[in-house]
Amino acid sequence: MGSVPRKASIVNRTNSLTRIFQYGALTLFLIFLGFPLLWLLATSLKTGQELNSLAVNLIPTPITLENYAEALSGGRGLVMATANSIVVSLASTVLVMVLAVPGAYLMARSRGLGRSLGVGWVLVSQIVPVILIIIPLFLILRNVGLIDSLVGLTAVYVVFNLPFSLWMLQGFVASIPVEIEEAGAIDGAGRFTVLRMLIFPLLQPGLVATAMFTFVISFNEFFFALVLLQTPSTYTLPVALAAFVGSDGRVDVGPLAAAALLASIPSIVFFAIVQRRLGNGLLSGAVKG
């Protein structure tokens, strides 16, 4: 009779130990991820004298905002570069999603030569080094008048991000059972209605994840922007941050840390906005599935 309570006690103890281990691992993981950001924040708040000292101090003494003032000064062009990065990233994300959704649906649902060609194009595009295409790309954009242009850079980002976005999104489409579409067709719904009412709600997690991927890649991209943009008024944020390193290799550590911290804000805001849609999409898909 006493064996059942004893087994329950052992199970509860095991569950408690497992939960403690999980929380401990999660805490260590958060510290691992958050420490660089904390160090960056501390560096941005230190005076030049403290930055030049050899002392390792996580808490600045005294705390100063002069690095932020210098990073945001007009000569740096950080505000303009941030606006350029946001515009290019949002535009390329919207265009990629408009092109990727129907393309991914066709790749996931079709069979035969068309699908093989599509998959082959996606795979080949991922193994070609960027350095091999930068010179032809530069010449093409110069001939059509899109060099040193945010429109040209947006077009490059669309072409650059579209293959992997297609590949990523077609996996989400393939995970949706075809029987759902067949059931909708049997109930009299047209093709467009089936896609809009049944497939799109289930596809929301994939749409949000793909949009997040495209936005972050475009926002952080440096090489294309460095080569294709030539005037400070068109610089994106990664190029503007690179200007904090002088031609002699001297780095303005404090202003650079402040600028890097400010540069991370748009990505954090974007994630904060879309992560709720990601959660809602997952819940919607679970209920409708």
Side-chain angles (χ1 to χ4, degrees):
M1 292 295 291
S3 60
V4 174
R6 185 177 179 183
K7 286 183 179 179
S9 176
I10 294 175
V11 171
N12 291 333
R13 193 181 306 166
T14 303
N15 290 338
S16 298
L17 291 175
T18 302
R19 193 172 295 112
I20 291 173
F21 176 77
Q22 290 174 340
Y23 280 117
L26 181 61
T27 302
L28 291 176
F29 185 65
L30 291 176
I31 292 174
F32 177 77
L33 290 180
F35 183 76
L37 192 62
L38 185 62
W39 186 268
L40 193 66
L41 175 63
T43 303
S44 69
L45 297 174
K46 291 181 178 178
T47 62
Q49 184 179 0
E50 190 173 3
L51 287 171
N52 292 327
S53 68
L54 297 178
V56 178
N57 186 14
L58 191 59
I59 301 177
T61 309
I63 293 176
T64 179
L65 296 177
E66 62 183 12
N67 293 321
Y68 288 91
E70 186 174 347
L72 293 172
S73 62
R76 299 286 189 180
L78 196 65
V79 176
M80 177 66 74
T82 303
N84 291 339
S85 285
I86 293 175
V87 169
V88 171
S89 301
L90 287 178
S92 59
T93 299
V94 171
L95 291 174
V96 165
M97 296 306 296
V98 169
L99 296 173
V101 170
Y105 183 81
L106 290 175
M107 282 183 62
R109 292 293 189 246
S110 64
R111 294 292 181 269
L113 182 61
R115 172 180 167 78
S116 300
L117 291 176
V119 173
W121 171 67
V122 170
L123 295 178
V124 169
S125 66
Q126 296 303 301
I127 62 176
V128 176
V130 174
I131 193 68
L132 291 180
I133 64 173
I134 190 62
I135 293 178
L137 187 62
F138 181 88
L139 296 176
I140 292 172
L141 290 178
R142 188 184 64 178
N143 290 337
V144 298
L146 289 179
I147 203 71
D148 195 24
S149 165
L150 295 182
V151 175
L153 188 64
T154 301
V156 171
Y157 285 170
V158 171
V159 176
F160 179 69
N161 287 319
L162 185 58
F164 191 78
S165 297
L166 266 174
W167 184 255
M168 187 174 175
L169 201 53
Q170 70 90 27
F172 285 94
V173 177
S175 67
I176 300 174
V178 181
E179 288 77 10
I180 293 179
E181 299 178 43
E182 295 175 348
I186 292 174
D187 290 340
R191 189 73 172 176
F192 180 74
T193 303
V194 169
L195 293 177
R196 183 170 61 88
M197 300 297 294
L198 299 178
I199 301 303
F200 255 76
L202 297 174
L203 200 56
Q204 278 192 23
L207 296 174
V208 174
T210 307
M212 291 167 65
F213 162 80
T214 306
F215 181 86
V216 171
I217 293 296
S218 301
F219 194 80
N220 295 330
E221 201 284 326
F222 174 70
F223 184 65
F224 285 128
L226 179 66
V227 175
L228 302 178
L229 301 177
Q230 299 176 343
T231 55
S233 62
T234 60
Y235 283 173
T236 55
L237 203 48
V239 181
L241 290 177
F244 281 80
V245 181
S247 58
D248 56 351
R250 182 177 174 274
V251 181
D252 296 330
V253 178
L256 179 58
L261 202 63
L262 293 173
S264 62
I265 292 177
S267 295
I268 294 174
V269 172
F270 184 78
F271 270 91
I273 294 173
V274 300
Q275 63 86 22
R276 181 179 298 178
R277 299 294 301 171
L278 179 63
N280 291 341
L282 286 170
L283 185 61
S284 173
V287 174
K288 291 178 183 300

